[in-house]
């Protein structure tokens, strides 16, 4: 039986894999354009690539915030991107009854950080048999993820990854403890580092989250050195006009240089500690 994450990490031991795309699906043209560009860049650099975009941001700060096109239209767009570009696609689910329908399109199902302890959600996602990426909650110690992994693997699904995305540090702030990557690696699963949500300032703009994208590159460099198997980044052609998480998204025009630099660091640092 093929294990998606195992293949990514063991068939490409000298390369990190990349999960990247816009925070939310704004429309087909924007999402498809981002995916095309990233596919070309990652192909040139030899980086395994997974396109990411949310079809519904159910945890936005304000009720007025843009949530996305919703499951029906969002999955249609993700299916078109997947088919046209022949790349795997990832999105998140927020309710157990979204799992089966999403699994018909998604190659990877993601569990949002705020929902990482929701047992029914994790079990529903894992029972689809699809690879599942579980984001570590901002409120959890990395060692606490062992309990989450046990929930996931109780379904018989072993195609699981854990994503580090920073830890609450007082009000409206996150901090990254890079010991976390090693602690999570000891669970025996692929470890992904979310370089863009780690610089988020939750609720920092009052009715929306703020962010400090100038710190994305140094945190990504550190994660590569510390042995992260994969990187997660949100990017947009014009982050200041993005409808979600623009302050912590990377301008699409900067992705090629950043990824090239990270590939060179991995060559020197090696794939593990």
């Amino acid at each position: 039986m093929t294990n998606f994450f195992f293949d990514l990490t063991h068939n490409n031991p000298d390369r990190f894999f990349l999960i990247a795309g816009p925070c939310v699906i704004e429309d087909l043209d924007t999402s498809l354009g981002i995916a095309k560009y990233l596919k070309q860049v990652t192909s040139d650099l030899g980086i395994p690539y997974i396109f990411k975009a949310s079809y519904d941001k159910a945890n936005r700060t304000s009720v007025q915030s843009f949530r996305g096109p919703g499951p029906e239209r969002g999955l249609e767009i993700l299916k078109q991107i997947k088919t046209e570009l022949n790349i795997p696609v990832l999105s998140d689910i927020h309710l157990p009854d979204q799992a089966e329908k999403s699994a018909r399109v998604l190659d990877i199902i993601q569990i949002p950080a705020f929902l990482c302890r929701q047992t029914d959600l994790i079990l529903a996602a894992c029972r689809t048999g699809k690879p599942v990426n579980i984001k570590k909650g901002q409120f959890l110690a990395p060692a606490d993820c062992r309990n989450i992994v046990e929930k996931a693997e109780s379904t018989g699904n072993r195609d699981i990854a854990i994503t580090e995305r920073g830890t609450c540090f007082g009000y409206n702030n996150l901090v990254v403890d890079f010991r976390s990557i090693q602690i999570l690696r000891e669970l025996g699963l692929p470890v992904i580092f979310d370089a863009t949500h780690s610089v988020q300032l939750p609720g920092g703009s009052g009715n929306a989250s703020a962010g400090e994208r100038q710190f994305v590159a140094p945190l990504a460099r550190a994660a590569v050195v510390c042995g992260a198997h994969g990187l997660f980044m949100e990017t947009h052609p014009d982050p200041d006009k993005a409808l979600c998480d623009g302050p912590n998204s990377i301008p699409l025009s900067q992705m090629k240089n950043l990824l090239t630099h990270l590939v060179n660091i991995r060559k020197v640092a090696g794939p593990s500690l």
Side-chain angles (χ1 to χ4, degrees):
M1 182 177 179
T2 300
N3 185 300
F4 185 87
F5 287 121
F6 180 90
D7 289 346
L8 283 179
T9 56
H10 288 76
N11 293 341
N12 303 278
D14 61 342
R15 287 283 189 272
F16 57 86
F17 61 89
L18 178 70
I19 299 172
C23 175
V24 67
I25 297 170
E26 297 181 0
D27 53 60
L28 172 61
D29 290 344
T30 301
S31 297
L32 185 59
I34 292 170
K36 284 181 177 178
Y37 179 78
L38 290 176
K39 179 183 178 181
Q40 184 61 59
V41 168
T42 53
S43 177
D44 291 344
L45 293 173
I47 301 171
Y49 172 56
I50 301 150
F51 175 78
K52 178 269 168 186
S54 297
Y55 56 71
D56 180 21
K57 301 297 290 185
N59 59 349
R60 296 302 306 275
T61 304
S62 169
V63 71
Q64 280 83 37
S65 298
F66 178 73
R67 289 181 54 163
E72 184 171 348
R73 177 57 180 155
L75 288 170
E76 287 177 358
I77 290 173
L78 288 167
K79 184 176 181 178
Q80 184 168 341
I81 291 170
K82 172 180 177 175
T83 303
E84 184 170 331
L85 300 182
N86 192 30
I87 55 175
V89 296
L90 172 153
S91 195
D92 34 20
I93 64 172
H94 296 83
L95 297 169
D97 61 8
Q98 294 176 345
E100 284 294 339
K101 183 175 182 179
S102 297
R104 296 172 196 155
V105 173
L106 302 180
D107 297 282
I108 304 163
I109 297 174
Q110 183 165 281
I111 304 297
F114 283 126
L115 301 178
C116 70
R117 290 183 60 175
Q118 296 298 106
T119 302
D120 290 344
L121 182 64
I122 292 170
L123 296 181
C126 291
R127 284 172 179 153
T128 66
K130 288 297 180 91
V132 177
N133 177 36
I134 303 173
K135 303 190 81 173
K136 179 183 78 66
Q138 305 91 316
F139 45 85
L140 286 182
D144 293 338
C145 289
R146 183 173 302 278
N147 297 315
I148 297 172
V149 172
E150 288 178 357
K151 289 181 185 180
E153 292 187 341
S154 73
T155 65
N157 192 335
R158 298 292 186 270
D159 213 347
I160 311 296
I162 295 287
T163 294
E164 166 63 55
R165 49 93 75 238
T167 302
C168 294
F169 190 66
Y171 298 122
N172 308 118
N173 198 17
L174 299 171
V175 67
V176 178
D177 177 359
F178 282 101
R179 295 176 299 178
S180 178
I181 292 176
Q182 177 59 24
I183 295 168
L184 293 173
R185 282 176 60 109
E186 292 170 1
L187 298 176
L189 302 175
V191 177
I192 302 165
F193 178 67
D194 183 342
T196 47
H197 284 103
S198 291
V199 303
Q200 192 179 60
L201 303 176
S205 292
N207 64 348
S209 292
E212 298 176 314
R213 74 172 70 100
Q214 68 270 27
F215 297 122
V216 170
L219 292 182
R221 291 196 293 266
V224 167
V225 171
C226 287
H229 299 98
L231 291 177
F232 179 112
M233 299 186 201
E234 291 184 338
T235 182
H236 192 278
D238 189 350
D240 291 335
K241 294 182 180 179
L243 299 182
C244 179
D245 275 4
N248 49 271
S249 294
I250 306 169
L252 189 62
S253 61
Q254 296 179 14
M255 285 292 289
K256 181 177 181 180
N257 286 342
L258 175 56
L259 291 172
T260 300
H261 187 46
L262 295 174
V263 166
N264 290 333
I265 290 174
R266 174 52 66 90
K267 288 178 181 178
V268 175
S272 61
L273 299 177

